[in-house]
Amino acid sequence: MKVLFLARHDLYINIGGDTIQVDATAKYLRLLGVTIDIKLSTDVIDYAAYQLIHFFNIIDPEDILGHVLKSNKPYVVSTIYVDYSEYDKNHRQGLVGLLAKWIPTASIEYLKTLAKYILKGEKVSTPYFFVKGHKNSIQYILKHAKCLLPNSLSEYKRLARDFGSEYPFEVIPNAIDKSIFVADNNTERENLVLCVARLEGRKNQLNLIKALSNTNIQLLLIGKESTNQKGYVNQCRLIAGNNVTFLPFVSQSELLKYYKKAKVHVLPSWFETTGLSSLEAAAMGCNIVVADKGDVREYFGDLAYYCEPDKPESIAAAVNAALNNPVSKQLQEKVCTAYTWEKAAEQTLKAYKRVTEND
């Protein structure tokens, strides 16, 4: 079977969780005998060479719609459907935050795409996107997909709620690469709290810093600084005490030494489908703190420490509880057995076969 992976145009420039999902899924599908080509939405593509197209990120329909219309091929979609509306409406600064209080999310996304198209010359897969609109484009893509591959059941339910229908789907959970993240439970843990995420408002490092700055807890923030939120980045650095350290983006393999040292990993985001760094940290033997938003409870149940992202005191309480309790071996075992890219690839291949056999 030959499958085309089609992802956003800046997949390897603005690296995120979807970058890891694309690469890891391709890696383990290839080990199962599937031929995978990874292309970006702006590439010129010979669709005839493939039996199936696998799209990623339904929140970027401008990257998908043109390929759906031109290819005439069956396709599946890893939806990665996040909902940042609460953050945008109540906490985001600048023009986008102002507009979010009065304009529906789909309209804001449409205007953002239009502005990038006109002012920055960013390409879209088809100009017809501007006629159809953001929400209608998503609905069209969902309606004609052979199968949706959300990362959780709650993600699928959110899609069905927001776009008013039911669709064929198969849950493919986010995962870890067991060839990289091998637990070492003999390591002496330090009084270190780690947060691995892009430094931006949605990830909520500002409230994390407020919670832990100038305490006896060492806080290490690892992640690329957002170029579009320089004011936020500067604010984070301005309020950070001497116990707070910033590091730029590092590769997954380089993260190992930090996961081994830290007792706790915290991701107090306004929304996460899961948070790959939370999974990785749990696999490496860290206790994890997550905001009680998005789809995280479906993954972690009662084995994580939960906080409210808008309350620094809630974040501090959860972090202290995670520091003062033993590492959860149960969580580590659950992640290392249930959430691996090998299993994700096996489930994905089953979906492929079902789609192509019924086509």
Side-chain angles (χ1 to χ4, degrees):
M1 182 183 296
K2 190 171 184 179
V3 179
L4 171 64
F5 275 22
L6 250 178
R8 57 184 171 90
H9 67 280
D10 57 349
L11 185 74
Y12 296 111
I13 298 172
N14 292 319
I15 294 173
D18 59 337
T19 311
I20 295 170
Q21 182 175 342
V22 167
D23 286 345
T25 304
K27 172 183 174 180
Y28 285 100
L29 279 171
R30 286 168 180 149
L31 293 176
L32 294 174
V34 183
T35 300
I36 304 288
D37 287 343
I38 300 174
K39 301 287 186 181
L40 305 182
S41 62
T42 48
D43 291 342
V44 177
I45 296 164
D46 176 16
Y47 304 108
Y50 304 97
Q51 291 174 258
L52 184 70
I53 301 177
H54 187 159
F55 293 106
F56 295 80
N57 279 318
I58 196 65
I59 60 172
D60 295 323
E62 69 277 8
D63 287 335
I64 299 175
L65 182 63
H67 297 289
V68 168
L69 296 174
K70 288 181 286 188
S71 67
N72 195 31
K73 287 284 182 179
Y75 66 90
V76 299
V77 187
S78 287
T79 46
I80 316 177
Y81 182 50
V82 296
D83 181 4
Y84 291 124
S85 58
E86 179 185 357
Y87 164 72
D88 287 339
K89 290 177 182 178
N90 300 320
H91 306 284
R92 183 158 185 163
Q93 299 176 350
L95 180 60
V96 174
L98 182 63
L99 291 173
K101 298 182 188 305
W102 306 101
I103 300 176
T105 299
S107 299
I108 292 175
E109 294 302 320
Y110 176 85
L111 292 173
K112 284 163 63 177
T113 302
L114 181 62
K116 287 186 284 188
Y117 179 76
I118 295 173
L119 301 176
K120 296 183 179 181
E122 288 194 9
K123 295 180 180 179
V124 295
S125 60
T126 173
Y128 185 56
F129 164 80
F130 295 115
V131 176
K132 203 163 185 65
H134 185 87
K135 185 173 183 177
N136 287 338
S137 293
I138 290 178
Q139 288 176 318
Y140 183 92
I141 294 164
L142 295 176
K143 180 180 178 181
H144 291 88
K146 294 294 184 181
C147 189
L148 305 182
L149 307 176
N151 292 139
S152 65
L153 179 60
S154 60
E155 180 187 334
Y156 170 76
K157 290 179 177 179
R158 189 164 59 252
L159 268 171
R161 177 199 70 195
D162 291 352
F163 297 100
S165 188
E166 293 187 1
Y167 311 94
F169 75 98
E170 182 74 35
V171 172
I172 311 292
N174 265 322
I176 60 152
D177 192 330
K178 286 181 69 175
S179 71
I180 299 174
F181 299 103
V182 181
D184 180 3
N185 293 323
N186 296 318
T187 304
E188 187 69 29
R189 301 282 171 171
E190 300 177 6
N191 189 37
L192 174 66
V193 172
L194 185 63
C195 175
V196 179
R198 183 182 299 156
L199 191 55
E200 63 180 12
R202 290 170 176 173
K203 297 299 184 180
N204 199 31
Q205 290 96 337
L206 184 63
N207 279 341
L208 174 59
I209 294 169
K210 288 179 180 178
L212 301 184
S213 192
N214 296 311
T215 66
N216 63 351
I217 299 170
Q218 292 300 310
L219 173 62
L220 176 59
L221 303 166
I222 301 178
K224 183 178 179 181
E225 295 181 353
S226 172
T227 55
N228 296 324
Q229 297 186 37
K230 291 184 178 179
Y232 180 85
V233 171
N234 291 337
Q235 195 174 2
C236 286
R237 289 187 172 277
L238 184 65
I239 69 166
N242 292 331
N243 64 314
V244 180
T245 304
F246 296 83
L247 287 181
F249 170 84
V250 300
S251 67
Q252 280 190 306
S253 57
E254 290 178 283
L255 283 173
L256 289 175
K257 62 182 179 183
Y258 300 108
Y259 285 140
K260 288 179 180 179
K261 289 180 181 179
K263 175 75 178 290
V264 174
H265 181 273
V266 55
L267 196 60
S269 308
W270 294 103
F271 193 98
E272 290 287 349
T273 54
T274 312
L276 288 179
S277 59
S278 294
L279 286 173
E280 293 164 358
M284 292 297 295
C286 299
N287 280 337
I288 61 168
V289 174
V290 290
D292 199 3
K293 301 287 183 181
D295 308 313
V296 291
R297 279 196 182 268
E298 189 167 325
Y299 282 77
F300 303 126
D302 295 330
L303 301 175
Y305 297 83
Y306 293 93
C307 64
E308 294 300 324
D310 58 339
K311 296 180 173 63
E313 64 275 16
S314 172
I315 298 172
V319 168
N320 277 293
L323 279 171
N324 293 324
N325 280 293
V327 168
S328 175
K329 296 293 194 299
Q330 190 178 350
L331 174 61
Q332 184 181 37
E333 182 178 348
K334 180 180 181 180
V335 170
C336 290
T337 55
Y339 303 128
T340 67
W341 288 120
E342 292 99 324
K343 287 197 171 183
E346 290 168 2
Q347 292 170 285
T348 302
L349 181 55
K350 286 180 183 178
Y352 288 174
K353 288 179 177 178
R354 189 166 62 250
V355 165
T356 53
E357 288 169 2
N358 294 335
D359 188 46

